[in-house]
Amino acid sequence: MAARGARRLLGSLWIALFLGQPDPAAAAARSSSQSPAGSTVRTFTPFYFLVEPVDTLSVRGAFVILNCSAYCEPSPKIEWKKDGTFLNLVSDDRRQLLPDGSLLINGVVHSKHNKPDEGYYQCVATVESLGTIVSRTAKLTVAGLPRFTSQPESTSVYRGNSVILNCEVNADLVPFVRWEQDRQPFFLDDRVFTLPSGALIISNVTDGDGGLYRCVIESGGSPKYSDEAELKVLPDPEVPLNLVFLRQPSPLTKVTGQSAVFPCVTSGFPTPVIKWMRNEEELTIEDSERFLLLAGGSLEISDITEDDAGTYACIVDNGNETIEAQADLTVQAPPEFLKQPANIYAHESMDIVFECEVTGKPTPTVKWIKNGDMVIPSDYFKIVKEHNLQVLGLVKSDEGFYQCIAENDVGNAQAGAQLIILEHDVAIPTLPPTSLTSATTDHLAPATTGPLPSAPRDVVASLVSTRFIKLTWRTPASDPHGDNLTYTVFYTKEGINRERVENTSRPGEMQVTIQNLMPETVYVFRVVAQNRHGPGESSIPLKVATQPEVQLPGPAPNIRAYANSPTSITVTWDTPLSGNGEIQNYKLYYMEKGTDNEQDVDVGGHSYTINGLKKYTEYSFRVVAYNKHGPGVSTQDVVVQTLSDVPSAAPQNLSLEVRNSKSIIIHWQPPPAGTHNGQITGYKIRYRKASRKSEVTESIGGTQLFQLIEGLERGTEYSFRVAALTSNGTGPATDWISAETFESDLDETRVPEVPSSLHVRPLVTSIVVSWTPPENQNIVVRGYAIGYGIGSPHAQTIKVDYKQRYYTIENLDPSSHYVITLKAFNNVGEGIPLYESAVTRPHTVPDPSPMMPPVGVQASILSHDTIRITWADNSLPKNQKITDARYYTVRWKTNIPANTKYKTANTTTLSYLVTSLKPNTLYEFSVMVTKGRRSSTWSMTAHGTTFELVPTSPPKDVTVVSKEGKPRTIIVNWQPPSEANGKITGYIIYYSTDVNAEIHDWVIEPVVGNRLTHQIQELTLDTPYYFKIQARNSKGMGPMSEAVQFRTPKALGSAGKGSRPLDIGPDYKPPMSGSNSPHGSPTSPLDSNMLLVIIVSVGVITIVIVVIVAVFCTRRTTSHQKKKRAACKSVNGSHKYKGNSKDVKPPDLWIHHERLELKPIDKSPDPNPIMTDTPIPRNSQDITPVDNSMDSNIHQRRNSYRGHESEDSMSTLAGRRGMRPKMMMPFDSQPPQQSVRNTPSTDTMPASSSQTCCADHQDPESATASYLANAQEEDSGQSLPTAHVRPSHPLKSFAVPAVPPTGSTYDPALPSTPLLTQQASNHPVHSVKTASIGTLGRTRPPMPVVVPSAPDVQETTRMLEDSESNYEPDELTKEMAHLEGLMKDLNAITTA
């Protein structure tokens, strides 16, 4: 099975029985020992089971033997499976294999939570180099713990009556139940028996039956006793007792060959007589060998056959009253073969068919097994004609034993055959059997010795279509004329080793058309010429690709429909030959013949059973396949009729007409249309005297609708009932109606007299007529004739029954004058008429006007299968409150298929929740309103597409093949999931050499997009690998496929072994990450060191330039500015703004600008994790150092910081980076560089201050920057010095805060002045870019940062008079010392 990728069925529960009788083909093979070529023809090998295991019931602690014996030469190896898994009998101390192959189980173990021995067992016989067969599956049941579901209760019974003592136990314990009376065994006899449930029935009770009763369960171990119940026997009652059922018959379902018991136990006095009816026919029990009347009147049926099915009625009569109870017996039959598969000889590339016909009830299903493996239908293995197996393009590996497994609810059966593939030089020893297809029969012609033809020349594809290719060629060079040559065309799909074959129709023909091909597929063709000596050389292979086809599926082939029962029909079909991609589902349309109401149902497989149909009614069926593009071509309609059944309704209008004193004629009408359930074959009439419970007389008539019953008694009341008959039996009967024969015969020698009265009541389109009979009752009246018409009573005449006293004349014209006449009649003629006239009423009811349709229809998508529809109604008040009895109808359908039917629902509100929709599907909705007889038109449509859903099925048809010429490379192919529920965005392939390994130990291969193939390289030779595939869409990952096994080739050119799915246990979670590179850095250590030196050098040069500029600026400080700064400090020292310090914000690094634009490096939509609303830390404990994980997070989520962020955002940026802004140094045309985080020994000080410094602008026009530090008053905190630099070049822009050295404290009295200021040419816009020096060893691309603009200056602040400021000498000394420390750190880093 490896050549086709067939999967092994580990849990097979089917039968495998091979007949040992050789077929004629085998006998002929043995008789022909040599072929013309001199090769020996192999014979078929008898291989079958002598004994198979059977279902067994056991108890705990007992030993069980499951018999199994197989015949073959040589002797087969016997193994056992339990629940589909092979048993390891070598290490099992309780189970052992007997010499004949049987299985012995010692000491059966069974408890509530441990049932190791109970289950399904199967015997497997294997002969090396020949094949494998499997036996039937036998169920071993271990009786459960003894428990009583009901126990006997004390009761009393009259002498001679019957009594039931309940003792209900589980069905598997019934064989172990017995009864005790007064704690002594109670023996059964013709008066006493037990029901299948365990209950005890005693009939014709005597005084000796009184006592204490209990039931005992003996299922191994100590017996279990029920409660004791006392039975008291009472003397005969002196007054009659009503009949009462103690136990009525209940419906039973039995298998042919079993026994059935219908209990019928009654109580009453006098003692009743019980008789049984089957299908309303009395059962003759006395002379029957299979029907037995048990004690008390119960019925036992043994060795049940299908003819025993029907309705059984228990009729109990004691002379005073009659009671009746009935129940149905349903008989099922296990599968039985009508035609078994036959052994077959064949050559490679042939097409064969194994035939298999079965019957059973319910209808069996058929599966095929080859050498113990399940045959999976595919392009080359197909199930045809419901049960037959067709194998196309045979290959050598197809040899073996094939079993047809038939199974239904009550049993299974199997039959098998052997396939032998002969060499091409060995002729098949018999005539072509029927199991060979017409395309390959020419292979069977015997060959003679002589020269063979050379290869055909110039093979070309003269016509290429989507599904067929026409090939032409020239004759071989060895035979230029080629009149006597025949040709064989071998073809296959590219990459597939299995070849198909097609022959020319007549000698000399040099063209052939290959049909049933797949569109847009590459095929390989070769042609072989054949003369009377045999086949010659093959032509050079020709590759031809069929044309692409429209993307919709073709019609589903082999659509068949058959009736299962009177109310169900099963429809089956095959996969379309032109699926154009994965078939997502099928839609089955069906309709009752003669109507236009077509219904549909979605089907996922290739068959569907429709229940609830009308009996004996024709239905038409068609199937449409759907793929991702929509519906395909519909099949032709197939018509099938449901099976007939007994009528489901009684005849209508039963009436009795007393003819005279000794006869009554009965009239009736057939049952209502639609209730016949078949062809009415006759009617059964039952009648009896109504005065007492007399014998019922039956009369079966034909299809006429009347019956004359004669020979009755004078002046006697009789009751009648009628039932309709079909070929299936008798339907329900009418109610009993009675009529009394005349004491003396009435006069019918003259016509009746005039009716005594006539009354009319006109309506708009009808007149109700009522009357009373003639006063003279001694003249026979057979009926009444009513005549009516406009102006004349003779226009139309209606006759009614003599018992009828009123009639409604319909379909009259409004406002019209009608004359009505009434006459009584009998067999002599009509009597004197009675006249009356009436005028019908005028028609004044106006036609209802249509309503306004709903407006504003909206579709709100809630989930993948739910959409809420809302609308408004203009005919309602403004508050849209519904106060009348109107309702709304919502209809919807999918928008893609043109033949989709609308679905509708009614609601009384202005919204409706539509559920059970398909994911990722476009629907259209419309609404109409109905009020009384008025309805609106449909509203305008609204559309909505349901959300996607994760795939709910795994990828299908996973196959693994070795790449030609590269044994360490394999190709994995698959098909998309059946239920993708959205656009597939990729797949994940898992593979491992250990199928039982944890899933996180499997190797992962991601596949992006919707590709259906993938190569995996560098595998180990001659090693088994296991593969699984998982699909994903935008909603997530779907389930994994089953594991597929593939063994890589041993060496170049050898083929790997086929793939086979395995059962590897429950599902597992896929890993959350993919494969990572083993190297942590993309650059070498040498490149990293060089890059580090470059970055540090640039940083040092920049800092030196800043310090030089700062020193230069300090020399320009004026004394006036010093005074201003001192005044500002004195103001801060006096805490002038302490009262409203809560209203100001803490200081931060603000760079004033109007507009700053930096293009982001990364387009990632993820928000930068740094820009959050976390408050700025207020002390050293609040500052969180930046670890490597956060650096990695920042690196993965790069983004641009825009200028309108909040102040807290920038504070958080500084806080998360240890209050140290970083410099960004971009390098053009360079890969991402490693960055080094410069970490000085001092801790960063918190950005808080108890002082407020205000700077006033002397010249706002020319001012380049202003610094504002508004701080809240806190007990402990120091202001962080900040620097503002206006860049002169984008690559030189940076901002570096000054950090105080270790242990130093920042003096709040000193002003926080910029280190460097530059004059701007009347332009307030400042552009700032920063470069960061990150963590050592991490790759960090440059991160552009747009610094937020400063907040508005509050009115309470004062601007510095001068925008320029400089450092004091002591402050500059501190900065220089700090710079020297930095230079030492840099030298240490570069040296390292």
Side-chain angles (χ1 to χ4, degrees):
M1 303 296 286
R4 331 173 282 287
R7 297 179 293 180
R8 186 176 183 85
L9 181 64
L10 296 178
S12 172
L13 302 177
W14 316 118
I15 310 169
L17 177 61
F18 280 92
L19 298 178
Q21 301 299 327
D23 62 1
R30 295 187 184 96
S31 63
S32 58
S33 59
Q34 296 290 329
S35 70
S39 301
T40 303
V41 177
R42 290 182 294 149
T43 59
F44 295 109
T45 304
F47 188 15
Y48 55 92
F49 285 101
L50 297 171
V51 180
E52 293 185 89
V54 295
D55 295 347
T56 305
L57 174 64
S58 180
V59 296
R60 290 184 301 168
F63 71 90
V64 175
I65 294 180
L66 298 176
N67 295 314
C68 179
S69 178
Y71 171 79
C72 188
E73 292 295 339
S75 298
K77 174 187 176 183
I78 301 296
E79 296 177 286
W80 282 86
K81 286 182 178 180
K82 177 182 179 293
D83 296 331
T85 304
F86 281 100
L87 294 175
N88 184 8
L89 301 178
V90 177
S91 60
D92 198 327
D93 56 349
R94 289 194 308 106
R95 302 187 185 102
Q96 65 183 66
L97 188 67
L98 300 181
D100 65 342
S102 300
L103 179 65
L104 171 63
I105 304 177
N106 286 306
V108 172
V109 177
H110 190 81
S111 64
K112 182 177 180 181
H113 301 291
N114 184 26
K115 302 176 182 179
D117 294 331
E118 192 172 63
Y120 294 90
Y121 289 81
Q122 192 174 34
C123 178
V124 182
T126 304
V127 176
E128 290 296 333
S129 73
L130 186 61
T132 300
I133 58 176
V134 294
S135 74
R136 75 179 301 275
T137 300
K139 182 180 180 181
L140 174 59
T141 304
V142 182
L145 298 177
R147 289 188 180 89
F148 298 99
T149 57
S150 68
Q151 303 195 38
E153 298 178 354
S154 298
T155 185
S156 59
V157 59
Y158 289 103
R159 187 187 301 113
N161 268 352
S162 298
V163 67
I164 295 181
L165 295 175
N166 289 320
C167 181
E168 305 289 341
V169 297
N170 293 335
D172 53 0
L173 291 173
V174 170
F176 309 104
V177 173
R178 64 178 179 84
W179 282 86
E180 290 184 355
Q181 179 187 16
D182 297 328
R183 304 201 175 183
Q184 297 297 322
F186 188 65
F187 299 102
L188 307 180
D189 54 24
D190 56 352
R191 289 191 312 110
V192 182
F193 74 99
T194 58
L195 291 177
S197 63
L200 178 68
I201 296 180
I202 307 175
S203 64
N204 194 16
V205 173
T206 63
D207 293 336
D209 293 328
L212 295 175
Y213 288 82
R214 67 178 181 180
C215 63
V216 186
I217 303 177
E218 294 178 330
S219 61
S222 59
K224 185 175 181 64
Y225 298 94
S226 71
D227 297 338
E228 287 189 324
E230 182 179 5
L231 176 63
K232 294 182 179 180
V233 181
L234 305 178
D236 294 339
E238 299 179 356
V239 295
L241 298 177
N242 292 333
L243 287 178
V244 177
F245 277 111
L246 300 180
R247 182 67 60 91
Q248 297 187 32
S250 57
L252 294 177
T253 299
K254 294 292 182 180
V255 182
T256 53
Q258 293 182 344
S259 298
V261 175
F262 280 115
C264 184
V265 185
T266 60
S267 173
F269 187 79
T271 302
V273 176
I274 297 177
K275 66 177 181 179
W276 283 87
M277 309 278 290
R278 182 180 66 183
N279 297 332
E280 299 197 0
E281 295 180 0
E282 186 172 355
L283 277 176
T284 304
I285 300 177
E286 291 76 11
D287 301 332
S288 176
E289 298 180 355
R290 298 191 303 108
F291 293 91
L292 177 64
L293 199 61
L294 302 176
S298 298
L299 178 65
E300 181 181 22
I301 310 173
S302 59
D303 194 16
I304 290 176
T305 65
E306 292 190 57
D307 295 335
D308 294 330
T311 301
Y312 288 79
C314 169
I315 301 176
V316 185
D317 189 354
N318 66 354
N320 295 329
E321 61 177 325
T322 302
I323 59 177
E324 179 180 342
Q326 63 182 20
D328 292 330
L329 173 63
T330 303
V331 179
Q332 296 179 328
E336 182 179 353
F337 285 98
L338 300 178
K339 187 173 185 179
Q340 299 185 2
N343 295 337
I344 296 177
Y345 281 115
H347 288 145
E348 283 190 280
S349 301
M350 280 187 177
D351 301 341
I352 65 168
V353 173
F354 283 110
E355 296 182 341
C356 179
E357 295 184 18
V358 294
T359 183
K361 188 176 182 181
T363 303
T365 59
V366 170
K367 298 180 180 179
W368 284 85
I369 289 180
K370 182 216 168 191
N371 290 337
D373 291 336
M374 183 77 173
V375 175
I376 305 299
S378 64
D379 291 342
Y380 300 99
F381 286 83
K382 299 182 178 181
I383 304 298
V384 296
K385 294 183 179 179
E386 299 183 14
H387 299 153
N388 298 339
L389 174 65
Q390 183 182 38
V391 185
L392 304 177
L394 289 175
V395 295
K396 191 66 177 178
S397 61
D398 290 333
E399 273 194 345
F401 288 89
Y402 289 80
Q403 294 172 266
C404 175
I405 307 295
E407 178 231 6
N408 63 9
D409 294 340
V410 295
N412 46 48
Q414 67 80 31
Q418 185 180 4
L419 170 64
I420 293 180
I421 297 180
L422 302 174
E423 299 296 333
H424 281 288
D425 58 349
V426 179
I428 293 179
T430 60
L431 292 177
T434 57
S435 57
L436 297 180
T437 63
S438 60
T440 59
T441 54
D442 292 343
H443 283 280
L444 309 179
T448 60
T449 304
L452 300 176
S454 60
R457 296 174 295 173
D458 300 336
V459 180
V460 295
S462 59
L463 181 60
V464 179
S465 181
T466 57
R467 301 195 171 277
F468 68 89
I469 292 177
K470 183 178 180 181
L471 294 178
T472 59
W473 57 88
R474 293 171 54 205
T475 57
S478 61
D479 194 347
H481 298 289
D483 295 335
N484 297 323
L485 294 180
T486 59
Y487 298 90
T488 301
V489 178
F490 296 89
Y491 64 97
T492 181
K493 291 182 182 179
E494 187 178 27
I496 303 297
N497 295 327
R498 184 183 295 273
E499 280 189 322
R500 299 285 307 281
V501 64
E502 188 75 27
N503 298 299
T504 54
S505 58
R506 63 181 182 271
E509 185 178 20
M510 288 179 292
Q511 65 178 19
V512 70
T513 300
I514 309 297
Q515 301 189 15
N516 298 326
L517 302 179
M518 298 299 295
E520 206 169 0
T521 304
V522 177
Y523 287 87
V524 181
F525 299 88
R526 62 186 183 91
V527 183
V528 175
Q530 181 173 349
N531 57 18
R532 68 178 186 274
H533 306 299
E537 297 180 20
S538 172
S539 65
I540 299 175
L542 172 67
K543 292 185 179 181
V544 182
T546 52
Q547 295 181 356
E549 192 181 39
V550 63
Q551 297 300 312
L552 297 177
N558 298 330
I559 178 172
R560 298 174 299 275
Y562 55 90
N564 300 321
S565 70
T567 59
S568 65
I569 291 177
T570 297
V571 185
T572 62
W573 58 90
D574 295 338
T575 303
L577 300 177
S578 56
N580 291 320
E582 181 67 24
I583 299 297
Q584 295 180 346
N585 70 302
Y586 299 89
K587 193 176 288 291
L588 173 61
Y589 296 88
Y590 63 97
M591 178 174 59
E592 182 181 346
K593 199 70 174 177
T595 65
D596 57 356
N597 183 22
E598 189 175 44
Q599 304 180 63
D600 62 81
V601 61
D602 291 329
V603 183
H606 293 86
S607 65
Y608 190 78
T609 299
I610 301 175
N611 299 300
L613 302 178
K614 296 181 181 179
K615 299 178 180 180
Y616 199 65
T617 304
E618 284 190 337
Y619 286 86
S620 64
F621 300 88
R622 63 186 182 93
V623 175
V624 176
Y626 280 68
N627 62 10
K628 62 181 180 180
H629 301 289
V633 181
S634 173
T635 62
Q636 296 293 326
D637 287 357
V638 294
V639 179
V640 68
Q641 189 177 51
T642 52
L643 300 180
S644 61
D645 198 2
V646 297
S648 55
Q652 305 179 90
N653 302 330
L654 178 62
S655 63
L656 304 178
E657 178 184 339
V658 181
R659 303 288 296 197
N660 49 46
S661 60
K662 293 186 177 181
S663 65
I664 296 177
I665 188 170
I666 309 172
H667 294 272
W668 65 87
Q669 294 297 320
T675 63
H676 294 189
N677 302 336
Q679 189 70 33
I680 299 294
T681 59
Y683 294 90
K684 180 184 292 186
I685 303 166
R686 304 178 68 193
Y687 63 94
R688 67 187 179 189
K689 294 180 181 179
S691 58
R692 65 180 185 273
K693 300 296 183 181
S694 59
E695 291 293 329
V696 176
T697 304
E698 287 189 359
S699 174
I700 298 179
T703 57
Q704 72 275 8
L705 301 178
F706 64 92
Q707 182 74 27
L708 177 64
I709 307 298
E710 298 181 305
L712 305 179
E713 299 179 7
R714 292 175 179 267
T716 305
E717 184 179 7
Y718 286 88
S719 297
F720 297 84
R721 69 192 305 182
V722 180
L725 298 174
T726 63
S727 59
N728 300 83
T730 306
T734 62
D735 294 333
W736 291 97
I737 64 171
S738 302
E740 185 177 355
T741 56
F742 299 143
E743 288 287 348
S744 59
D745 295 336
L746 296 179
D747 183 11
E748 202 172 1
T749 59
R750 51 183 175 151
V751 298
E753 296 183 356
V754 64
S756 56
S757 66
L758 174 62
H759 303 279
V760 295
R761 183 165 65 91
L763 300 175
V764 177
T765 58
S766 61
I767 296 177
V768 180
V769 182
S770 59
W771 63 88
T772 55
E775 294 180 357
N776 187 356
Q777 299 289 323
N778 295 324
I779 303 176
V780 176
V781 176
R782 299 297 180 186
Y784 297 91
I786 303 172
Y788 65 95
I790 298 177
S792 171
H794 307 298
Q796 296 189 49
T797 302
I798 297 173
K799 291 188 176 182
V800 297
D801 186 75
Y802 76 99
K803 287 186 176 182
Q804 199 157 335
R805 295 294 181 265
Y806 68 92
Y807 184 79
T808 301
I809 305 174
E810 303 282 357
N811 300 323
L812 303 181
D813 295 332
S815 304
S816 301
H817 184 272
Y818 285 87
V819 178
I820 301 167
T821 180
L822 176 68
K823 296 177 286 186
F825 66 89
N826 56 19
N827 292 334
V828 177
E830 295 180 347
I832 302 173
L834 189 63
Y835 292 92
E836 189 63 79
S837 64
V839 178
T840 53
R841 298 179 182 177
H843 187 73
T844 58
V845 179
D847 294 333
S849 59
M851 300 184 68
M852 292 288 292
V855 297
V857 180
Q858 294 183 353
S860 302
I861 294 86
L862 303 182
S863 67
H864 65 276
D865 64 349
T866 306
I867 295 180
R868 179 181 295 278
I869 309 301
T870 57
W871 59 89
D873 191 346
N874 284 342
S875 61
L876 292 176
K878 290 185 177 181
N879 59 5
Q880 293 288 291
K881 185 175 181 181
I882 302 174
T883 58
D884 49 18
R886 71 179 64 198
Y887 67 91
Y888 301 90
T889 302
V890 183
R891 72 174 183 180
W892 66 92
K893 73 168 186 175
T894 57
N895 223 13
I896 301 175
N899 52 0
T900 301
K901 301 292 184 181
Y902 278 102
K903 294 184 180 180
T904 60
N906 293 335
T907 179
T908 57
T909 61
L910 294 176
S911 66
Y912 184 74
L913 199 65
V914 183
T915 59
S916 301
L917 302 178
K918 298 179 182 178
N920 195 36
T921 304
L922 176 65
Y923 287 87
E924 69 173 27
F925 303 87
S926 55
V927 187
M928 67 178 294
V929 60
T930 303
K931 178 181 178 183
R933 293 187 300 167
R934 301 173 58 202
S935 296
S936 71
T937 58
W938 290 105
S939 68
M940 297 183 67
T941 59
H943 297 80
T945 302
T946 51
F947 295 148
E948 292 188 359
L949 184 66
V950 295
T952 53
S953 65
K956 302 192 308 181
D957 302 336
V958 181
T959 58
V960 183
V961 297
S962 179
K963 187 171 183 180
E964 184 177 358
K966 295 184 179 180
R968 297 183 62 185
T969 301
I970 59 97
I971 301 175
V972 185
N973 302 297
W974 64 91
Q975 292 297 320
S978 300
E979 300 173 357
N981 300 334
K983 181 180 179 181
I984 296 298
T985 59
Y987 297 89
I988 295 181
I989 302 176
Y990 300 83
Y991 66 94
S992 172
T993 57
D994 183 6
V995 71
N996 297 318
E998 296 292 335
I999 196 61
H1000 58 262
D1001 294 330
W1002 290 50
V1003 182
I1004 296 175
E1005 284 280 339
V1007 180
V1008 180
N1010 56 0
R1011 290 194 298 115
L1012 301 179
T1013 183
H1014 187 72
Q1015 290 191 13
I1016 299 178
Q1017 302 177 354
E1018 300 301 324
L1019 300 182
T1020 306
L1021 295 179
D1022 194 20
T1023 302
Y1025 285 86
Y1026 303 89
F1027 298 85
K1028 299 181 181 181
I1029 301 183
Q1030 191 178 27
R1032 71 170 182 263
N1033 59 16
S1034 62
K1035 290 298 182 180
M1037 308 297 299
M1040 290 188 182
S1041 65
E1042 294 184 3
V1044 175
Q1045 179 185 2
F1046 181 82
R1047 177 178 288 275
T1048 53
K1050 294 182 179 180
L1052 183 63
S1054 62
K1057 294 186 178 180
S1059 56
R1060 173 176 298 165
L1062 297 176
D1063 185 8
I1064 61 172
D1067 296 337
Y1068 54 85
K1069 296 182 179 178
M1072 297 305 293
S1073 63
S1075 302
N1076 293 327
S1077 172
H1079 308 288
S1081 176
T1083 59
S1084 64
L1086 181 60
D1087 294 338
S1088 300
N1089 293 334
M1090 291 297 296
L1091 179 63
L1092 181 61
V1093 170
I1094 295 173
I1095 294 176
V1096 171
S1097 301
V1098 173
V1100 170
I1101 295 172
T1102 305
I1103 294 174
V1104 171
I1105 294 174
V1106 170
V1107 172
I1108 294 174
V1109 174
V1111 172
F1112 175 76
C1113 291
T1114 55
R1115 297 178 180 179
R1116 300 177 59 185
T1117 304
T1118 62
S1119 60
H1120 177 72
Q1121 291 169 340
K1122 292 181 181 180
K1123 293 179 181 181
K1124 288 286 185 178
R1125 188 166 59 251
C1128 183
K1129 287 191 289 184
S1130 65
V1131 170
N1132 294 339
S1134 64
H1135 301 281
K1136 180 178 180 179
Y1137 299 101
K1138 181 177 181 180
N1140 55 358
S1141 62
K1142 295 182 181 180
D1143 298 330
V1144 297
K1145 294 184 179 180
D1148 209 333
L1149 178 64
W1150 290 111
I1151 302 176
H1152 296 275
H1153 64 285
E1154 293 295 329
R1155 182 170 59 254
L1156 184 63
E1157 179 178 355
L1158 288 178
K1159 293 186 178 180
I1161 297 177
D1162 196 348
K1163 296 183 179 180
S1164 172
D1166 296 337
N1168 194 296
I1170 295 177
M1171 302 302 288
T1172 63
D1173 292 335
T1174 306
I1176 187 169
R1178 294 303 178 185
N1179 52 51
S1180 59
Q1181 287 79 9
D1182 293 337
I1183 300 175
T1184 303
V1186 181
D1187 56 7
N1188 292 343
S1189 63
M1190 182 170 293
D1191 286 344
S1192 175
N1193 189 21
I1194 297 172
H1195 169 59
Q1196 295 174 4
R1197 301 194 178 193
R1198 297 167 296 173
N1199 208 338
S1200 61
Y1201 295 89
R1202 305 197 177 274
H1204 298 287
E1205 300 286 12
S1206 65
E1207 180 182 1
D1208 290 341
S1209 299
M1210 194 60 203
S1211 301
T1212 307
L1213 173 64
R1216 292 197 179 186
R1217 296 186 178 181
M1219 300 299 292
R1220 184 184 304 278
K1222 303 175 183 179
M1223 295 180 295
M1224 181 182 71
M1225 302 179 182
F1227 295 87
D1228 294 337
S1229 303
Q1230 294 292 329
Q1233 302 296 318
Q1234 290 190 354
S1235 57
V1236 180
R1237 169 165 296 189
N1238 186 8
T1239 307
S1241 59
T1242 59
D1243 293 337
T1244 304
M1245 306 306 294
S1248 60
S1249 175
S1250 60
Q1251 307 297 329
T1252 302
C1253 184
C1254 305
D1256 297 332
H1257 285 282
Q1258 293 290 348
D1259 188 359
E1261 295 292 334
S1262 61
T1264 61
S1266 64
Y1267 174 72
L1268 177 65
N1270 297 325
Q1272 296 183 0
E1273 181 178 9
E1274 296 185 5
D1275 295 337
S1276 62
Q1278 296 173 334
S1279 299
L1280 178 68
T1282 60
H1284 184 97
V1285 180
R1286 180 172 182 264
S1288 59
H1289 191 278
L1291 295 182
K1292 298 179 181 180
S1293 304
F1294 61 92
V1296 181
V1299 181
T1302 305
S1304 63
T1305 58
Y1306 183 73
D1307 187 3
L1310 296 175
S1312 298
T1313 57
L1315 296 179
L1316 175 66
T1317 58
Q1318 295 182 358
Q1319 296 294 331
S1321 59
N1322 298 330
H1323 201 286
V1325 178
H1326 297 260
S1327 176
V1328 179
K1329 294 184 181 180
T1330 64
S1332 61
I1333 302 178
T1335 306
L1336 188 64
R1338 290 277 183 174
T1339 302
R1340 183 186 304 275
M1343 181 185 301
V1345 178
V1346 177
V1347 183
S1349 59
D1352 296 336
V1353 180
Q1354 299 181 0
E1355 295 180 359
T1356 57
T1357 62
R1358 295 183 303 171
M1359 305 300 295
L1360 291 175
E1361 295 180 359
D1362 191 15
S1363 60
E1364 296 182 355
S1365 61
N1366 52 10
Y1367 277 81
E1368 295 290 357
D1370 55 346
E1371 189 176 356
L1372 183 60
T1373 303
K1374 292 181 181 180
E1375 292 295 328
M1376 293 300 296
H1378 175 63
L1379 181 59
E1380 292 177 358
L1382 291 178
M1383 294 297 296
K1384 292 179 179 180
D1385 292 339
L1386 293 176
N1387 291 332
I1389 293 174
T1390 55
T1391 303

